[in-house]
Amino acid sequence: MNLKEFIRSIPDYPKKGILFRDITTLIKDSSAFNETIDQIVERSKKIEFNKIAAVESRGFVFAAAVSYILKKPFVMLRKKNKLPAEVHSVDFELEYGTATIEVHKDSINENDSVLIIDDLIATGGTAEAAAKLVEISNGKVAAFIFVINLFDLNGTENLIKKGYKVENLIDFPGH
């Protein structure tokens, strides 16, 4: 199955000049969604890790399903002021703005090896922030798995240069 066929492209969203790759068309097709989860699970079998983390909100869709299948704990990396207990926070830049993500201080322990799953990588700002959250929690990043890689925005390349292992299911240009 060619998962690329299930991704809708929306020009000028959320602002002019951005070509948004929409995963809702993939998720609403049960066969395509199941295939996506199966591919993430297969790739994750090559990685040693004991927890799965994902960034709010679209990453949750994929990571929660993988967590269930692999019977691994799931850690939510959320937007600022969404978690009720003590948190670690990281500010970062997006392709079209800035943001903050947080994790509960008790979600990741020393020596945890964390697989980070997200729907898409563009410039890598969100992914780097997720890695920082894992690392300031005394865990280590086992790898990243992204459903979509916007290859010409160099996010994957930037993560690899920093020593992270990265897997992508689908490649698209970012523009």
Side-chain angles (χ1 to χ4, degrees), residues 3-149:
L3 295 177
K4 230 176 178 177
E5 295 173 6
F6 294 92
I7 304 298
R8 175 172 40 201
S9 297
I10 302 172
D12 299 323
Y13 182 83
K15 72 177 196 177
K16 190 153 184 66
I18 303 291
L19 182 57
F20 188 81
R21 303 299 181 170
D22 181 17
I23 61 157
T24 62
T25 45
L26 179 138
I27 294 168
K28 75 178 185 178
D29 184 288
S30 61
S31 294
F33 181 66
N34 290 341
E35 177 64 22
T36 302
I37 298 303
D38 289 346
Q39 285 189 30
I40 294 170
V41 167
E42 278 309 304
R43 289 173 189 240
S44 71
K45 288 179 179 175
K46 300 180 248 173
I47 302 162
E48 248 184 80
F49 63 98
N50 66 317
K51 288 188 178 175
I52 295 171
V55 179
E56 182 175 356
S57 68
R58 293 182 307 267
F60 288 3
V61 174
F62 301 100
V66 173
S67 172
Y68 174 78
I69 290 167
L70 296 178
K71 299 182 181 0
K72 304 265 186 182
F74 174 48
V75 176
M76 297 186 296
L77 309 179
R78 301 228 36 210
K79 294 173 185 167
K80 189 174 185 171
N81 297 321
K82 299 285 185 178
L83 294 171
E86 285 189 78
V87 296
H88 292 294
S89 297
V90 173
D91 299 323
F92 64 101
E93 290 188 28
L94 295 162
E95 183 182 0
Y96 46 84
T98 60
T100 302
I101 56 172
E102 300 177 329
V103 65
H104 276 139
K105 287 185 176 181
D106 61 359
S107 292
I108 299 169
N109 305 308
E110 190 172 352
N111 301 320
D112 277 341
S113 184
V114 182
L115 171 63
I116 301 172
I117 298 173
D118 209 352
D119 67 315
L120 181 139
I121 183 165
T123 62
T126 305
E128 284 186 49
K132 284 181 189 171
L133 280 178
V134 169
E135 291 161 357
I136 64 177
S137 299
N138 295 314
K140 75 170 187 133
V141 176
F144 290 90
I145 298 178
F146 300 99
V147 177
I148 298 170
N149 172 36

Side-chain angles (χ1 to χ4, degrees), residues 150-169:
L150 302 182
F151 60 84
D152 57 345
L153 298 180
N154 300 318
T156 292
E157 184 179 292
N158 292 337
L159 291 177
I160 291 169
K161 282 180 185 173
K162 291 181 181 200
Y164 297 111
K165 179 178 170 54
V166 181
E167 295 275 341
N168 304 302
L169 305 187

